[in-house]
Amino acid sequence: MNAIAARLNDWFYISLLIISLVIAAALSIPLIYLFVKTIGTGDEALEIIFRWRTFNIIVRTLVLAFSVTIVSALISVPLAWFLFRTNIPLRRLWLTLTVIPLVIPSYVGGFIMVAAFGPTGLFQSMLSSFGVERLPEIYGFWGSLIVLSVLRFPYMLLPVSASLSKLDVSLEEVSHSLGYSTFKTFFKVILPQLKPAIATGGVFTSLMVLSDFGAVSLLRYETFTWAIYVQYQSAFNFDVAAVLSTLVLLLASIFIIFESRIRKNELSSGTSKLRRSFSSYIDIGAWKTPVILFLTALVLLSLVIPSAVLFYWLYLGITTGQAFSNVLSMAFNSLTISLVAAVVIVITAFPIAYFSCRYQGKMSRFLENIVYVGYALPGVVVALSIVFLGIRFLRPLYQTYILLIAAYVILFLPICIGTMRNLILQINTNLEDAARSLGKNRFQVIARITLPLIKPGILAGFILAFLLTMRELPSTLILSPYGFRTLATGIWSATSETFLAAGAMYSLVLMLVASVPMVFILLKRINN
Amino acid sequence: MIPLVSCTNNTSDDEKKTLTIYSGRSEKLVGPIIEQFSEATGIDTRVKYGGTSELAATILEEGDKSPADIFFAQDPAGLGALEDKFTTLPDEVLVEVNDKFKSDDKKWVGTSGRARTVVYNTNMLTEQDLPDDMFGFTDPKWKGKIGWAPTNGSFQAMVTGMRKIWGDEKTKEWLNGINANNPKSFPNNTSTVAAVANGEVEVGFVNHYYLYRFLEEQGMDFSARNYHIEEGGPGALILVAGAGVLETSENKEEAIEFLEFMLSPVSQQFFASQNYEYPVVEGVKINPMLKPLADINSPKIEMSDMNDLQGTVTILRGVEIIP
């Protein structure tokens, strides 16, 4: 009780709480919308919820989400360690190359995979001269697993890398001094400390699978979001879509609760010593060759093959005289809106992340869970919820950049909060207290101690927010000002009407434009 | 290009009207002709491009305050979904349009037509191998060889047409018959046509015009062609893309002018030659690669008979083809 009373006298706590609650209110717009819609539905919705087929879709969705998360972790955790801790050559290049595929829209990724690896795709025709009759079927579970894991593992890679780069090296040194090998140290010392980051990456990955539509529809694996889109696209049944979306939220909360459990257990028992960052890269000796082969295979699968297919379509289009208009202005629009959105998202994420780490309790737990709402839902539901509220209460802002950016914030803020939170929790609060006792005020402490220490988390969050905004489609289509074209909307428009060459052109430019700020950020980050 | 529609300038005030169009048709398909409309009439336009269903949902969500004057939809289902929100169109707009291509209640008008067709792989089949009638595909010899897009709006429009022509029981019989042949489901026409061309399936039930874009981009070697069901029936339906004016629009006059322009020979010629679509008014030349509308044995059905999408969806759910 005293603690609560003390907090209520603390102006810093109060202002942080108010800011956090305002942001949380904005983030719960889709929730309010779904609540209003769900109340208005009749018996048909109930009938759909309790069908065996709905249960079947839930199971299928969960299985895919779980599998993609496992595969992403198997790729990302060793990868993060090799890239950040060992003397692997060209690490900046590798990191950039492995993160870029995140920007490829999943419907493009799915289409490319079918074209490349389909039963009669480009690979099949190459292999047929070697007597390979038919490649294994890529449709369904396996195809979706491969496409989503290969294109989306950076959801895991980025938070894990951010955490890894701030781990306490003294523990590792102790482990080595006790005679443990690098290998054993990784499993006994590093991996346990990475658990919270892996849990965060895992919740991003599973929520991404929940809300993905493009890849699973092209690869014909029926998930929940696919079912929701079918309600919109063919049945024009928006009430049923709302009910199904509510079910998605319930599923999502399972992942979210799971994540926060893992994080709590791991971090509350963290060490209290001052942490030291690592100073030199570990020599992995003969392991270099297999690791480089692994990296090459990964980049080949996630970047080179998709680009090759895109270049092939572009080539066909150019030889048949296709013209490409507006590419430059679309690239400019994509770049500016994503940079602005990413900055806004990072700035908005910090107060919530800081609040939930420094003032743990019921309120912070509530905030932590509610922020994930936007990210779990299909984009079209979030966009329509903003239409619903925007046109009633924020009319002058409707169809302006402000509401568009608000939509991006609702969608991608959770990702940013997640990457920051693990790093804030890694900071020893004694450090902040010491600074306070030296007469610095709260803001000075945050500016001089907290922010510099969580820089890897901020950068990882920034990169994720930037790339996700860049490829985001439904809210960009529904909420952007008239005449505002981005590369993502261009790709969608071209591919939906079979202008493959134009779609390929916009996709390649998207990958190129996405990599520019990333190269810049990653170079600086690793030089530090 | 010569603007063929005269500039009607009833408004003497300097204030230029701006028409807001929500277009479920993609910018590549209608952007140039909308620009020509602005040039010809001096009416500014601002267009929101998106998916037909998402934009229909957006307009419904916006309610009375919708900024949209016109909804330009890709398929009859989208128009049907907003039928209650449209204002009644004056007869002058509709007079030249074939009855098949407009709403009975004068709520919307078709602007171009697309034929339902069977796309087949030319390396594996010739037209002689294809049945005269849609029921031919329920023969077990087509097992594993059929591609379709059951969640796609135009496929469902075809099924609605089937129900009108055949009745519900026979429609279910056909759906179950195809289902028994393990068809592969694709999300849209594009991926179905691609799958047919690369031999993944041998035939697909699609709209006619996606094929021509592939031919345009990948050359005449592209190994798929369209086959129009000879006996006609629902497999040879002509579906429309079209537009309606919203009841809440404050620029109804300009909106009507827009529809008139879309039905003018310039626009109709644009849809026919650039987009490989069928015109909805007489006297416009189609692309020479297309089979003339008169030669397609399309069933006599009115677009207003295509309203019962809910019933179709219920049937598709009942036979477990969609979720």
Side-chain angles (χ1 to χ4, degrees), chain A residues 184-359:
Chain A
K184 219 164 180 179
T185 305
F186 177 78
F187 279 98
K188 295 267 180 199
V189 178
I190 299 180
L191 200 56
Q193 296 186 78
L194 288 180
K195 251 194 200 166
I198 295 171
T200 304
V203 78
F204 295 169
T205 311
S206 18
L207 296 185
M208 172 276 296
V209 175
L210 269 193
S211 61
D212 178 74
F213 167 68
V216 294
S217 70
L218 278 158
L219 294 163
R220 303 205 299 265
Y221 186 81
E222 301 171 6
T223 64
F224 235 102
T225 292
W226 176 81
I228 291 169
Y229 267 84
V230 169
Q231 305 306 324
Y232 275 108
Q233 290 200 320
S234 49
F236 288 92
N237 198 330
F238 310 130
D239 294 344
V240 175
V243 177
L244 291 179
S245 303
T246 311
L247 281 184
V248 165
L249 279 184
L250 291 178
L251 278 192
S253 53
I254 299 174
F255 299 131
I256 294 165
I257 290 167
F258 196 59
E259 186 243 10
S260 62
R261 282 272 161 82
I262 293 182
R263 237 168 357 90
K264 286 274 152 49
N265 293 343
E266 293 306 319
L267 284 170
S268 54
S269 60
T271 58
S272 58
K273 297 191 306 297
L274 282 183
R275 289 159 195 276
R276 225 153 37 74
S277 295
F278 68 105
S279 48
S280 64
Y281 293 110
I282 296 159
D283 183 11
I284 50 166
W287 276 90
K288 256 185 208 170
T289 315
V291 171
I292 289 176
L293 282 178
F294 169 71
L295 277 166
T296 311
L298 192 65
V299 171
L300 206 64
L301 208 57
S302 64
L303 193 64
V304 177
I305 290 174
S307 311
V309 174
L310 292 171
F311 271 115
Y312 174 68
W313 283 335
L314 188 60
Y315 163 79
L316 285 180
I318 288 172
T319 51
T320 51
Q322 289 286 304
F324 310 100
S325 52
N326 303 328
V327 184
L328 281 182
S329 77
M330 284 157 125
F332 177 79
N333 288 348
S334 287
L335 192 62
T336 39
I337 194 90
S338 311
L339 284 176
V340 172
V343 169
V344 174
I345 290 170
V346 167
I347 293 172
T348 329
F350 182 75
I352 290 207
Y354 193 77
F355 181 88
S356 79
C357 293
R358 287 289 173 262
Y359 298 96

Side-chain angles (χ1 to χ4, degrees), chain A residues 69-82:
Chain A
T69 306
I70 298 284
V71 175
S72 296
L74 289 178
I75 298 175
S76 303
V77 177
L79 194 62
W81 188 75
F82 283 120

